[in-house]
Amino acid sequence: MIDMEPVNIGQALASFDALWSPRILTTVNDYDVRVAKVRGEHLWHSHADTDEFFLVVDGELDIALRDRTVHLGQGDTFVVPRGVEHKPSSERGAHILMFEPSGTSTVGDHHEEVPDHVDATTGHALRRP
C-alpha cells in the first residue's frame, strides 16, 4: 500500500549514514524511488532487464562505461540502458536518487565480486519518525 504522506528527500538522507545502501522513499507502480549516499567506488555491473536512472541530488557522481566516463553534477540525470556495464563512483561523495523496478539489486545481474563495503541490496525501507 502506498503511504500517502509527503517525504522530504533531505530528511530521508539525514536519517542514515551507510554508503551504497539505498533507502526506498516510495513506490510508483512497480518501481522503487530510492535515495543513497555514495563515496568511493561501487563495482562493475549490469542490469539485464532494466534501465537504471540516476539523479544527483548533491555532490558529483561519475559513471564509468566501458568506452567513456559520464560526469554528473548536482541536478544532473543520466540513464544507463539495460545490459550496459557501468561502475558508479564519487571521489568526494554524493547523494543520489534512483528509479528502479522493485526488487532490483544494486549490483545488478552480472557483476564483479562484491566488496564488503558495498551493500548488495534491493533497497532498505526508510525509517520514518
Side-chain angles (χ1 to χ4, degrees):
M1 178 170 198
I2 295 175
D3 184 357
M4 293 187 47
E5 294 298 323
V7 178
N8 181 280
I9 292 174
Q11 289 174 351
L13 285 161
S15 73
F16 66 98
D17 292 320
L19 298 174
W20 302 107
S21 182
R23 299 305 192 264
I24 300 169
L25 296 180
T26 192
T27 302
V28 179
N29 298 315
D30 297 330
Y31 280 75
D32 290 339
V33 179
R34 302 176 183 178
V35 291
K37 293 180 178 181
V38 301
R39 187 176 331 107
E41 295 185 344
H42 196 39
L43 63 147
W44 283 105
H45 68 282
S46 64
H47 302 272
D49 298 319
T50 186
D51 303 332
E52 190 168 15
F53 171 89
F54 293 90
L55 164 66
V56 177
V57 175
D58 187 45
E60 297 179 343
L61 180 72
D62 289 323
I63 301 177
L65 307 171
R66 290 299 182 182
D67 63 343
R68 66 188 173 115
T69 298
V70 177
H71 178 78
L72 304 173
Q74 183 175 339
D76 289 339
T77 65
F78 185 72
V79 175
V80 177
R82 69 190 72 200
V84 173
E85 281 190 297
H86 58 287
K87 181 179 184 175
S89 65
S90 179
E91 185 176 324
R92 295 187 186 110
H95 297 164
I96 60 175
L97 183 139
M98 299 160 290
F99 287 95
E100 298 180 303
S102 297
T104 300
S105 171
T106 60
V107 297
D109 308 305
H110 306 284
H111 54 78
E112 61 188 7
E113 185 173 339
V114 180
D116 292 339
H117 75 278
V118 173
D119 186 4
T121 180
T122 56
H124 298 286
L126 180 65
R127 293 184 185 215
R128 298 184 187 204

